[in-house]
Amino acid sequence: MKIVSHNEELPRDALSCIPQSSSRTSLSSCNKLIRFEDISAAAFKIQCGVQKTPCMYSRLSKQYGMDIYLKKEFLQYTGSVKERGVLYLLTSLPQDQQRKGVIVASDSNFSMAVAYHASGLRIPVFVIMSTSTSPARVKMCREYGAMVISYGTTAKDSQMHARRLAQENGYLYLEEEDSAVYLSGLGTVGLEVYEQVPKLDAVIFPAGGHCGLLAGSAAALKHLNPHISVIGVESESFPVLQQSLKAGHPIEDQACSNHHFYGDVSGLCFGSNSLQLTGKLVDKVVAVREEDILISMLRLLEYERATVDAEGAIGLAALVAGKLPELKGKRVAIVICSGNLELHLLQQCIARALTLDNRVCRFSLVLSDCPGDISKLLEILAREEARVLDIKQERMFATSELFTVEVTCTVETRDRIHTAQLRNVLLERYPTVAWTER
C-alpha cells in the first residue's frame, strides 16, 4: 500500500475491487493501493449520509498544556465513526448485490452502522448475533432496520452461520476488513480535521486491532501536510499493532480481551493494507493502561459532557498518561470516535475512575460505642468538606476490645490534594485509622 500523487496511475480503478458475485463472502480481495483522490471521492459521496462532526476547542487544553481540539465522531447517528466507511462501502456495491442484500455477524459498531445505512439505502440487511449479546444491542440493531437473528453461544458460531446463510441465499457477507473502499470512507475524518483546525501539529487516533481509521486518515493528512504528526494509541493489555509493526505482518495476540469494556479497540481485524499504511505514514504508536482510559472517560464526561467508551477515550488517555510530552504547547486534535457504552458498564467505569482519580476513598477505624463518638467523626468530615457516600458500623464481628464499634466510611473529595489533607486530619485524631488502598 502506498499513497500516490495526482499524476500517478493505479493498476485499476478505486472501486473495481467491489465483489461482483454474491458467492464472495468478504472484501479481503480488495487489497490495493489507496489514493488521496479515493478519500476525496468518498467524502463527496457520503456527505449527505453522515454528520460532519464538530472539532471543538476543549477546556482540557489548560490542564494538559496544549491546544486540544476534539473531533466528536461519537455524534454520528449510531455513535461511531464506522458509519463513514460503511456508507461508502454499501453505496459502492453493484446494484444486483444491493438487491440481494448483505449479512454481518457481530454486535460491534461496524454491524450497527451496516444495519442503519443498509436500511436507509433499502438494502436487505441481516445481523447474526450470539445469544450472549446484550438485549439493548439487539433492540437497537432492530430499530435501525435490520433483521436480527440470535444464533450460537459465541461470536465464532454466529460468523459460521452468517457465512452459511450468505452462500445459500446470495447475500454478501461483510466483516470489518481493510479494503480500499472502507479505508477511504474512514479517511474522510482526516480531511475534515485538516479543514476544521488550521495550523495543526498533531492528530491522535485510536489504534489497536481496528486501525483502519488511523491508516485511512493518515493517508489524507500526510498528503495534505506531511509535517502533521499522526499518532496511534492502543491498550497495553493487547498491543497488537505495535507487535505487528515489529513483526512486519499482522499477528494475533492471544491475550486480547473479549470484555465489553474494550469493544472494537480489542478486535483483530486489520490486514496488510492498514498495517503497511500505518508503518509508512504513522509517526508514533503508544500504549496506555486501562486506568488511564478510565480517567480519560471521566475527564471527557466532566469537561465535555461527552459519554464515550474505551475506544472513544483512548486517544485522550495518551495525554492523561503523559506518553506524549513532545506535544506540550502544540495544536493537537484528538478523534473521539465512539460513544457506545452500555449503561451498567458506564456506571462501573465512572465509579472506578473516581477511585483511581483519588476522589472517592474508604477508611476504617475503631470507636468506643458511646453516644456522640460517631457524631464527632461526622463533624470532622463536614469541617473538611468531605461528602459521606456510605457509612457502616460493625459490632457483632469486630475483633477489637469490647464495647467498641468498627466504622467504615466511603467519602468523596475534590481531588488528590483534598484527599491527602483529609487523611492527615483523621490520622491526628484517630492514629489507628486504616485506609483502603485502591
Side-chain angles (χ1 to χ4, degrees), residues 37-296:
E37 290 89 334
D38 299 333
I39 302 172
S40 299
F44 178 79
K45 197 165 187 179
I46 68 175
Q47 62 181 328
C48 296
V50 298
Q51 296 290 330
K52 185 176 182 179
T53 56
C55 191
M56 302 172 62
Y57 184 79
S58 173
R59 290 192 295 141
L60 290 164
S61 299
K62 184 176 180 180
Q63 185 171 346
Y64 295 104
M66 62 190 75
D67 290 333
I68 298 176
Y69 295 83
L70 300 180
K71 179 62 171 169
K72 300 185 177 181
E73 281 297 303
F74 66 92
L75 296 178
Q76 297 291 352
Y77 190 86
T78 65
S80 169
V81 70
K82 302 295 174 65
E83 287 191 30
R84 294 173 178 270
V86 165
L87 180 57
Y88 192 46
L89 181 62
L90 292 174
T91 55
S92 301
L93 293 176
Q95 290 187 358
D96 62 334
Q97 188 61 65
Q98 291 187 19
R99 287 192 295 269
K100 292 176 182 177
V102 297
I103 188 167
V104 291
S106 75
D107 62 349
S108 65
N109 290 334
F110 178 80
S111 293
M112 296 292 179
V114 171
Y116 172 64
H117 283 293
S119 298
L121 295 169
R122 300 186 182 278
I123 299 174
V125 54
F126 302 86
V127 180
I128 314 300
M129 293 182 172
S130 67
T131 55
S132 60
T133 303
S134 71
R137 286 260 172 171
V138 174
K139 180 175 181 290
M140 188 176 298
C141 206
R142 283 179 175 148
E143 289 177 349
Y144 289 152
M147 173 67 72
V148 180
I149 302 172
S150 295
Y151 184 91
T153 56
T154 66
K156 188 174 182 180
D157 293 336
S158 301
Q159 291 166 3
M160 291 178 63
H161 187 58
R163 287 190 173 96
R164 184 165 57 251
L165 290 176
Q167 290 179 347
E168 293 174 354
N169 299 281
Y171 309 137
L172 177 65
Y173 175 69
L174 294 178
E175 56 186 3
E176 190 174 2
E177 295 181 342
D178 66 346
S179 67
V181 178
Y182 185 63
L183 289 181
S184 297
L186 293 177
T188 59
V189 174
L191 289 180
E192 288 186 12
V193 171
Y194 183 82
E195 173 189 333
Q196 292 169 316
V197 185
K199 299 180 181 179
L200 261 178
D201 293 304
V203 186
I204 302 174
F205 295 90
H210 292 248
C211 64
L213 173 62
L214 171 66
S217 296
L221 288 166
K222 288 296 186 179
H223 178 91
L224 293 166
N225 184 353
H227 301 294
I228 294 176
S229 294
V230 178
I231 299 168
V233 187
E234 61 182 350
S235 172
E236 283 186 357
S237 301
F238 30 85
V240 290
L241 180 55
Q242 288 177 321
Q243 294 172 3
S244 298
L245 288 171
K246 186 176 181 180
H249 57 83
I251 67 168
E252 182 174 346
D253 189 342
Q254 298 299 329
C256 185
S257 173
N258 289 321
H259 196 284
H260 283 177
F261 168 71
Y262 291 103
D264 288 4
V265 82
S266 66
L268 296 171
C269 76
F270 67 82
S272 58
N273 279 3
S274 295
L275 189 63
Q276 290 180 42
L277 269 177
T278 301
K280 182 175 181 179
L281 301 176
V282 173
D283 297 277
K284 191 174 185 178
V285 178
V286 299
V288 296
R289 302 174 304 162
E290 182 175 299
E291 291 88 341
D292 300 318
I293 299 174
L294 287 169
I295 292 177
S296 178

Side-chain angles (χ1 to χ4, degrees), residues 312-329:
I314 198 169
L316 179 62
L319 303 184
V320 170
K323 293 295 183 74
L324 301 170
E326 68 274 17
L327 297 183
K328 292 288 185 180

